[in-house]
Amino acid sequence: VEWNGYIPDAVQKWMAERGHLTEKYLPMLSSDSKSHHIIVNETPPTHGPISVLHGGDLGDIIYGLAVCKAIGQVNFFGYQQRHIVKDLKRTWDAIEPLIKSMPYIKSVAWHDGEAIDWNASLFRSNHSYTQSLVRSHQLHYLGNAKLPRISLDLSAKWITGIEHDPSSRGRVIINKTTRYSNPYFRWQSIADHYRSILLFVGTTDEHNAFVREFGPVEYRPTKDLLEVASLIAGADLTIANQSSVLALAEGMKAPRIACMCLTQPDVVV
């Protein structure tokens, strides 16, 4: 029997994250953009910076930066999508320094009505769980024939110019979030084998949850993702599930092991 009733927004988001894009979910994204009075330029510049808007989760933004690098010059704006993703306004300070440090980013700001050329937040309209989040961003960008054409090498690093933190030399960076888990991944074996050189990055709640399940590991508080990137740059290896930490390691093409979610394996490394 076909279901025609209302699916709560939170359930639609949960379904979409697991590969089931409801007929209402993508219109929710689009209408949410309109509710923020987003003006899209009808004739984007052929030369000079492209204005890019993104309101996705932190990992989404990091993967979207790959397209920004291919564009070459970008004015980047963040904004909050309602009911769709986590509160970016709350975590903006964590990612803004990283975005600002990229050589292809000309300016970074919180969106305040400025006209934009590419709303990268809508990349999920081109997303499937057989391709990477970078590829989904690329397909969404290329779907707008008015935007300047780009060429994107998915094997090349797009998080560049990161200074190595000497304190992580010889260490293994580790991160495990509560989302995107895999019960078959051998976290316990990793903890037992590398325990003396593990350096956990992430939230205190994530660290506490890891310690409760797998035993004590050293925790390194960080003020933002640029600092996390510096630790990854200096370390021998990064091990993470599908988190912003893994997104950084992938964008830097640092030595990495990915814990893939069984229901949403869309971080192709």
Side-chain angles (χ1 to χ4, degrees):
V1 177
E2 183 178 355
W3 169 254
N4 293 316
Y6 171 70
I7 302 175
D9 292 356
V11 175
Q12 292 193 56
K13 179 180 184 296
W14 185 90
M15 293 174 67
E17 288 179 343
R18 286 152 181 83
H20 305 287
L21 294 181
T22 67
E23 292 182 357
K24 296 179 181 178
Y25 182 75
L26 290 175
M28 283 167 58
L29 286 171
S30 180
S31 63
D32 181 74
S33 297
K34 293 175 183 176
S35 72
H36 284 263
H37 308 290
I38 296 170
I39 302 170
V40 179
N41 288 326
E42 293 187 5
T43 56
T46 55
H47 301 284
I50 294 293
S51 295
V52 174
L53 182 75
H54 211 315
D57 288 330
L58 298 182
D60 294 339
I61 292 174
I62 293 169
Y63 289 115
L65 287 175
V67 176
C68 293
K69 182 177 184 293
I71 293 170
Q73 296 185 74
V74 166
N75 293 322
F76 194 98
F77 296 96
Y79 89 111
Q80 178 59 42
Q81 294 186 71
R82 296 169 183 164
H83 315 301
I84 306 298
V85 297
K86 293 180 179 179
D87 186 358
L88 181 60
K89 187 70 172 178
R90 182 175 61 83
T91 57
W92 180 244
D93 289 344
I95 196 168
E96 184 183 23
L98 175 78
I99 301 172
K100 190 177 295 185
S101 72
M102 294 299 101
Y104 46 88
I105 299 295
K106 301 306 176 184
S107 66
V108 183
W110 191 255
H111 188 252
D112 190 25
E114 296 87 351
I116 60 102
D117 301 309
W118 176 43
N119 186 352
S121 304
L122 303 180
F123 77 95
R124 290 192 183 276
S125 62
N126 290 87
H127 187 54
S128 71
Y129 295 104
T130 59
Q131 67 189 22
S132 71
L133 291 167
V134 174
R135 178 66 172 157
S136 297
H137 279 89
Q138 179 191 26
L139 289 174
H140 184 262
Y141 177 92
L142 293 174
N144 186 340
K146 296 179 180 179
L147 292 169
R149 299 299 84 188
I150 61 171
S151 177
L152 179 59
D153 180 2
L154 298 180
S155 67
K157 63 176 67 174
W158 66 87
I159 302 297
T160 62
I162 302 298
E163 294 185 6
H164 291 215
D165 188 327
S167 70
S168 62
R169 183 178 181 181
R171 308 296 294 269
V172 174
I173 301 297
I174 193 167
N175 171 253
K176 181 180 183 297
T177 64
T178 54
R179 295 200 301 171
Y180 310 125
S181 60
N182 182 337
Y184 300 103
F185 194 75
R186 300 173 68 179
W187 288 110
Q188 188 65 66
S189 296
I190 289 169
D192 292 341
H193 183 74
Y194 288 115
R195 193 176 306 279
S196 64
I197 59 172
L198 284 179
L199 201 57
F200 193 101
V201 297
T203 68
T204 54
D205 288 343
E206 290 167 354
H207 176 248
N208 291 336
F210 191 91
V211 168
R212 283 195 300 269
E213 190 168 359
F214 305 110
V217 295
E218 184 180 344
Y219 178 54
R220 176 66 62 87
T222 52
K223 64 179 182 295
D224 55 47
L225 287 172
L226 182 58
E227 185 176 346
V228 174
S230 295
L231 290 168
I232 292 172
D236 288 358
L237 177 67
T238 297
I239 306 172
N241 64 336
Q242 293 171 213
S243 64
S244 57
V245 174
L246 180 62
L248 284 173
E250 174 64 12
M252 297 163 64
K253 302 302 179 184
R256 59 206 178 279
I257 296 175
C259 169
M260 303 305 296
C261 175
L262 298 179
T263 57
Q264 191 182 352
D266 58 3
V267 178
V268 181
V269 298

PDB file of all heavy atoms in Angstrom, residues 41 48 54 57 76-78 102 104 126-127 136-137 142 179 191 216 221 238 257:
ATOM      1  N   ASN A  41      22.629  34.648  -8.604  1.00  0.00           N
ATOM      2  CA  ASN A  41      22.961  35.423  -9.801  1.00  0.00           C
ATOM      3  C   ASN A  41      22.577  34.650 -11.066  1.00  0.00           C
ATOM      4  O   ASN A  41      22.908  33.478 -11.208  1.00  0.00           O
ATOM      5  CB  ASN A  41      24.464  35.725  -9.836  1.00  0.00           C
ATOM      6  CG  ASN A  41      24.872  36.765  -8.810  1.00  0.00           C
ATOM      7  OD1 ASN A  41      24.114  37.677  -8.519  1.00  0.00           O
ATOM      8  ND2 ASN A  41      26.067  36.612  -8.260  1.00  0.00           N
ATOM      9  N   GLY A  48      37.140  35.871 -12.226  1.00  0.00           N
ATOM     10  CA  GLY A  48      37.035  36.414 -10.878  1.00  0.00           C
ATOM     11  C   GLY A  48      36.322  35.451  -9.949  1.00  0.00           C
ATOM     12  O   GLY A  48      35.858  34.382 -10.353  1.00  0.00           O
ATOM     13  N   HIS A  54      27.165  27.527   1.435  1.00  0.00           N
ATOM     14  CA  HIS A  54      27.064  26.157   1.942  1.00  0.00           C
ATOM     15  C   HIS A  54      26.526  26.180   3.365  1.00  0.00           C
ATOM     16  O   HIS A  54      27.020  26.930   4.202  1.00  0.00           O
ATOM     17  CB  HIS A  54      28.413  25.447   1.902  1.00  0.00           C
ATOM     18  CG  HIS A  54      28.308  23.972   1.677  1.00  0.00           C
ATOM     19  ND1 HIS A  54      27.411  23.157   2.340  1.00  0.00           N
ATOM     20  CD2 HIS A  54      28.985  23.137   0.832  1.00  0.00           C
ATOM     21  CE1 HIS A  54      27.537  21.902   1.927  1.00  0.00           C
ATOM     22  NE2 HIS A  54      28.486  21.867   1.006  1.00  0.00           N
ATOM     23  N   ASP A  57      26.580  19.981   6.888  1.00  0.00           N
ATOM     24  CA  ASP A  57      27.388  19.586   8.037  1.00  0.00           C
ATOM     25  C   ASP A  57      28.861  19.871   7.748  1.00  0.00           C
ATOM     26  O   ASP A  57      29.256  20.104   6.603  1.00  0.00           O
ATOM     27  CB  ASP A  57      27.189  18.100   8.328  1.00  0.00           C
ATOM     28  CG  ASP A  57      25.811  17.796   8.918  1.00  0.00           C
ATOM     29  OD1 ASP A  57      25.265  18.671   9.609  1.00  0.00           O
ATOM     30  OD2 ASP A  57      25.288  16.687   8.691  1.00  0.00           O
ATOM     31  N   PHE A  76      33.321  32.568  -0.044  1.00  0.00           N
ATOM     32  CA  PHE A  76      32.566  31.503   0.622  1.00  0.00           C
ATOM     33  C   PHE A  76      31.650  32.076   1.696  1.00  0.00           C
ATOM     34  O   PHE A  76      32.082  32.853   2.538  1.00  0.00           O
ATOM     35  CB  PHE A  76      33.528  30.494   1.247  1.00  0.00           C
ATOM     36  CG  PHE A  76      32.891  29.206   1.658  1.00  0.00           C
ATOM     37  CD1 PHE A  76      32.968  28.100   0.827  1.00  0.00           C
ATOM     38  CD2 PHE A  76      32.221  29.091   2.859  1.00  0.00           C
ATOM     39  CE1 PHE A  76      32.390  26.893   1.199  1.00  0.00           C
ATOM     40  CE2 PHE A  76      31.631  27.907   3.244  1.00  0.00           C
ATOM     41  CZ  PHE A  76      31.704  26.797   2.409  1.00  0.00           C
ATOM     42  N   PHE A  77      30.386  31.646   1.658  1.00  0.00           N
ATOM     43  CA  PHE A  77      29.397  32.083   2.644  1.00  0.00           C
ATOM     44  C   PHE A  77      28.782  30.863   3.336  1.00  0.00           C
ATOM     45  O   PHE A  77      28.408  29.892   2.678  1.00  0.00           O
ATOM     46  CB  PHE A  77      28.274  32.890   1.978  1.00  0.00           C
ATOM     47  CG  PHE A  77      28.736  34.172   1.359  1.00  0.00           C
ATOM     48  CD1 PHE A  77      29.043  34.235   0.007  1.00  0.00           C
ATOM     49  CD2 PHE A  77      28.870  35.327   2.126  1.00  0.00           C
ATOM     50  CE1 PHE A  77      29.476  35.419  -0.577  1.00  0.00           C
ATOM     51  CE2 PHE A  77      29.302  36.514   1.549  1.00  0.00           C
ATOM     52  CZ  PHE A  77      29.605  36.562   0.199  1.00  0.00           C
ATOM     53  N   GLY A  78      28.677  30.928   4.647  1.00  0.00           N
ATOM     54  CA  GLY A  78      27.985  29.901   5.404  1.00  0.00           C
ATOM     55  C   GLY A  78      26.597  30.375   5.792  1.00  0.00           C
ATOM     56  O   GLY A  78      26.355  31.574   5.921  1.00  0.00           O
ATOM     57  N   MET A 102      42.574  28.365   3.128  1.00  0.00           N
ATOM     58  CA  MET A 102      42.791  27.777   1.816  1.00  0.00           C
ATOM     59  C   MET A 102      43.144  28.856   0.792  1.00  0.00           C
ATOM     60  O   MET A 102      42.483  29.898   0.734  1.00  0.00           O
ATOM     61  CB  MET A 102      41.546  27.009   1.361  1.00  0.00           C
ATOM     62  CG  MET A 102      41.206  25.781   2.201  1.00  0.00           C
ATOM     63  SD  MET A 102      42.523  24.526   2.187  1.00  0.00           S
ATOM     64  CE  MET A 102      43.330  24.813   3.771  1.00  0.00           C
ATOM     65  N   TYR A 104      42.677  29.208  -2.327  1.00  0.00           N
ATOM     66  CA  TYR A 104      41.677  29.496  -3.351  1.00  0.00           C
ATOM     67  C   TYR A 104      40.445  30.217  -2.788  1.00  0.00           C
ATOM     68  O   TYR A 104      39.550  30.587  -3.539  1.00  0.00           O
ATOM     69  CB  TYR A 104      41.242  28.198  -4.050  1.00  0.00           C
ATOM     70  CG  TYR A 104      40.937  27.052  -3.099  1.00  0.00           C
ATOM     71  CD1 TYR A 104      39.666  26.874  -2.558  1.00  0.00           C
ATOM     72  CD2 TYR A 104      41.934  26.143  -2.751  1.00  0.00           C
ATOM     73  CE1 TYR A 104      39.399  25.825  -1.689  1.00  0.00           C
ATOM     74  CE2 TYR A 104      41.679  25.092  -1.888  1.00  0.00           C
ATOM     75  CZ  TYR A 104      40.403  24.936  -1.359  1.00  0.00           C
ATOM     76  OH  TYR A 104      40.149  23.897  -0.493  1.00  0.00           O
ATOM     77  N   ASN A 126      21.989  15.553  -6.256  1.00  0.00           N
ATOM     78  CA  ASN A 126      22.791  14.738  -7.172  1.00  0.00           C
ATOM     79  C   ASN A 126      23.515  13.619  -6.433  1.00  0.00           C
ATOM     80  O   ASN A 126      24.475  13.063  -6.941  1.00  0.00           O
ATOM     81  CB  ASN A 126      23.831  15.601  -7.903  1.00  0.00           C
ATOM     82  CG  ASN A 126      23.210  16.545  -8.903  1.00  0.00           C
ATOM     83  OD1 ASN A 126      22.814  17.652  -8.543  1.00  0.00           O
ATOM     84  ND2 ASN A 126      23.086  16.111 -10.140  1.00  0.00           N
ATOM     85  N   HIS A 127      23.040  13.308  -5.229  1.00  0.00           N
ATOM     86  CA  HIS A 127      23.782  12.371  -4.387  1.00  0.00           C
ATOM     87  C   HIS A 127      23.166  10.978  -4.412  1.00  0.00           C
ATOM     88  O   HIS A 127      21.951  10.810  -4.416  1.00  0.00           O
ATOM     89  CB  HIS A 127      23.809  12.883  -2.949  1.00  0.00           C
ATOM     90  CG  HIS A 127      24.689  12.075  -2.052  1.00  0.00           C
ATOM     91  ND1 HIS A 127      26.015  11.819  -2.352  1.00  0.00           N
ATOM     92  CD2 HIS A 127      24.445  11.443  -0.890  1.00  0.00           C
ATOM     93  CE1 HIS A 127      26.546  11.085  -1.384  1.00  0.00           C
ATOM     94  NE2 HIS A 127      25.611  10.835  -0.498  1.00  0.00           N
ATOM     95  N   SER A 136      29.367  14.147  -5.662  1.00  0.00           N
ATOM     96  CA  SER A 136      28.016  14.708  -5.635  1.00  0.00           C
ATOM     97  C   SER A 136      28.046  16.228  -5.724  1.00  0.00           C
ATOM     98  O   SER A 136      27.227  16.835  -6.416  1.00  0.00           O
ATOM     99  CB  SER A 136      27.286  14.265  -4.366  1.00  0.00           C
ATOM    100  OG  SER A 136      27.114  12.870  -4.345  1.00  0.00           O
ATOM    101  N   HIS A 137      28.990  16.846  -5.033  1.00  0.00           N
ATOM    102  CA  HIS A 137      29.161  18.296  -5.153  1.00  0.00           C
ATOM    103  C   HIS A 137      29.529  18.676  -6.588  1.00  0.00           C
ATOM    104  O   HIS A 137      28.999  19.634  -7.155  1.00  0.00           O
ATOM    105  CB  HIS A 137      30.253  18.793  -4.199  1.00  0.00           C
ATOM    106  CG  HIS A 137      29.806  18.986  -2.785  1.00  0.00           C
ATOM    107  ND1 HIS A 137      29.848  17.982  -1.854  1.00  0.00           N
ATOM    108  CD2 HIS A 137      29.305  20.076  -2.136  1.00  0.00           C
ATOM    109  CE1 HIS A 137      29.405  18.434  -0.689  1.00  0.00           C
ATOM    110  NE2 HIS A 137      29.072  19.701  -0.828  1.00  0.00           N
ATOM    111  N   LEU A 142      28.270  21.107 -11.861  1.00  0.00           N
ATOM    112  CA  LEU A 142      28.287  20.991 -13.324  1.00  0.00           C
ATOM    113  C   LEU A 142      26.876  20.972 -13.914  1.00  0.00           C
ATOM    114  O   LEU A 142      26.705  21.218 -15.110  1.00  0.00           O
ATOM    115  CB  LEU A 142      29.045  19.726 -13.739  1.00  0.00           C
ATOM    116  CG  LEU A 142      30.545  19.727 -13.446  1.00  0.00           C
ATOM    117  CD1 LEU A 142      31.157  18.365 -13.773  1.00  0.00           C
ATOM    118  CD2 LEU A 142      31.255  20.830 -14.225  1.00  0.00           C
ATOM    119  N   ARG A 179      27.516   8.883  15.107  1.00  0.00           N
ATOM    120  CA  ARG A 179      26.860   8.573  13.843  1.00  0.00           C
ATOM    121  C   ARG A 179      27.766   7.719  12.969  1.00  0.00           C
ATOM    122  O   ARG A 179      28.978   7.692  13.141  1.00  0.00           O
ATOM    123  CB  ARG A 179      26.514   9.872  13.083  1.00  0.00           C
ATOM    124  CG  ARG A 179      25.492  10.735  13.774  1.00  0.00           C
ATOM    125  CD  ARG A 179      24.834  11.702  12.792  1.00  0.00           C
ATOM    126  NE  ARG A 179      25.785  12.596  12.143  1.00  0.00           N
ATOM    127  CZ  ARG A 179      25.465  13.393  11.120  1.00  0.00           C
ATOM    128  NH1 ARG A 179      24.249  13.373  10.626  1.00  0.00           N
ATOM    129  NH2 ARG A 179      26.385  14.189  10.590  1.00  0.00           N
ATOM    130  N   ALA A 191      42.595  -0.028  19.369  1.00  0.00           N
ATOM    131  CA  ALA A 191      42.904   0.584  20.666  1.00  0.00           C
ATOM    132  C   ALA A 191      43.975  -0.206  21.398  1.00  0.00           C
ATOM    133  O   ALA A 191      44.910   0.373  21.979  1.00  0.00           O
ATOM    134  CB  ALA A 191      41.638   0.681  21.506  1.00  0.00           C
ATOM    135  N   PRO A 216      41.136   3.483  27.979  1.00  0.00           N
ATOM    136  CA  PRO A 216      41.693   4.837  27.967  1.00  0.00           C
ATOM    137  C   PRO A 216      42.591   5.105  26.763  1.00  0.00           C
ATOM    138  O   PRO A 216      43.400   4.265  26.378  1.00  0.00           O
ATOM    139  CB  PRO A 216      42.493   4.893  29.273  1.00  0.00           C
ATOM    140  CG  PRO A 216      42.819   3.465  29.575  1.00  0.00           C
ATOM    141  CD  PRO A 216      41.666   2.663  29.087  1.00  0.00           C
ATOM    142  N   PRO A 221      42.281  18.119  23.178  1.00  0.00           N
ATOM    143  CA  PRO A 221      41.274  19.146  22.856  1.00  0.00           C
ATOM    144  C   PRO A 221      41.803  20.056  21.749  1.00  0.00           C
ATOM    145  O   PRO A 221      42.994  20.380  21.708  1.00  0.00           O
ATOM    146  CB  PRO A 221      41.114  19.907  24.181  1.00  0.00           C
ATOM    147  CG  PRO A 221      41.689  19.011  25.231  1.00  0.00           C
ATOM    148  CD  PRO A 221      42.775  18.228  24.552  1.00  0.00           C
ATOM    149  N   THR A 238      45.844   8.424  10.380  1.00  0.00           N
ATOM    150  CA  THR A 238      44.565   8.849  10.939  1.00  0.00           C
ATOM    151  C   THR A 238      43.548   7.726  10.741  1.00  0.00           C
ATOM    152  O   THR A 238      43.428   7.175   9.644  1.00  0.00           O
ATOM    153  CB  THR A 238      44.053  10.132  10.260  1.00  0.00           C
ATOM    154  OG1 THR A 238      44.967  11.195  10.523  1.00  0.00           O
ATOM    155  CG2 THR A 238      42.675  10.522  10.780  1.00  0.00           C
ATOM    156  N   ILE A 257      42.805   5.400   7.529  1.00  0.00           N
ATOM    157  CA  ILE A 257      41.955   4.216   7.507  1.00  0.00           C
ATOM    158  C   ILE A 257      40.542   4.694   7.823  1.00  0.00           C
ATOM    159  O   ILE A 257      40.327   5.393   8.812  1.00  0.00           O
ATOM    160  CB  ILE A 257      42.411   3.163   8.530  1.00  0.00           C
ATOM    161  CG1 ILE A 257      43.801   2.633   8.166  1.00  0.00           C
ATOM    162  CG2 ILE A 257      41.405   2.022   8.615  1.00  0.00           C
ATOM    163  CD1 ILE A 257      44.376   1.669   9.201  1.00  0.00           C
TER     164      ILE A 257
END
